[in-house]
Amino acid sequence: MPTPATTDEYIAAAPAEVQPVLQAIRATIRQAAPLAQERISYRMPAFFQGKKALVYFGAFKQHIGLYPPVRQPSLLAQVARYAGPKGNLQFPLSEPMPHALISQIVSARLQEVAATAVK
């Protein structure tokens, strides 16, 4: 599959049953970070705040991958059951998506990005 140029192209290329899941995740991220810019990076949808990546997400056979570097102690226990290799999160497609948790992760990433911009 060629690299999609937009998030819309990425979602359209996903299996039909996964497309609504990806759209809902996109909407959750957009609601938590309304000023973030969407782009394709590493062949998957990403949201950036300025020059800093907030999160990436992607569809896989059995799960949706979310790629934030979750470091906040308050979130570590909540994301532990979804922990995948290399710090990514894996949300099983066989379960409801944890949109509230995704929103918390994006909000925490926004705070991290804002804190690094001040320094």
Side-chain angles (χ1 to χ4, degrees):
M1 176 173 118
T3 301
T6 66
T7 301
D8 287 328
E9 285 181 17
Y10 182 93
I11 292 171
E17 65 275 9
V18 177
Q19 290 177 16
V21 176
L22 293 171
Q23 288 288 13
I25 290 171
R26 179 189 200 182
T28 297
I29 296 168
R30 171 65 52 221
Q31 186 173 8
L35 300 178
Q37 297 87 37
E38 285 186 32
R39 62 178 79 149
I40 296 294
S41 182
Y42 299 107
R43 297 179 56 115
M44 68 182 86
F47 281 81
F48 280 72
Q49 189 77 14
K51 295 181 181 181
K52 299 281 187 170
L54 295 174
V55 293
Y56 300 78
F57 65 98
F60 297 89
K61 282 186 178 186
Q62 302 296 319
H63 69 276
I64 299 295
L66 188 72
Y67 301 88
V70 176
R71 297 183 194 97
Q72 301 78 8
S74 62
L75 289 175
L76 290 175
Q78 294 179 67
V79 301
R81 72 177 290 246
Y82 302 111
K86 300 181 183 180
N88 68 323
L89 302 176
Q90 296 179 355
F91 301 122
L93 286 167
S94 60
E95 299 176 15
M97 287 294 120
H99 291 283
L101 179 58
I102 293 169
S103 183
Q104 288 178 301
I105 291 165
V106 173
S107 294
R109 287 290 299 137
L110 281 168
Q111 291 174 1
E112 285 180 0
V113 168
T116 60
V118 173
K119 292 181 182 180

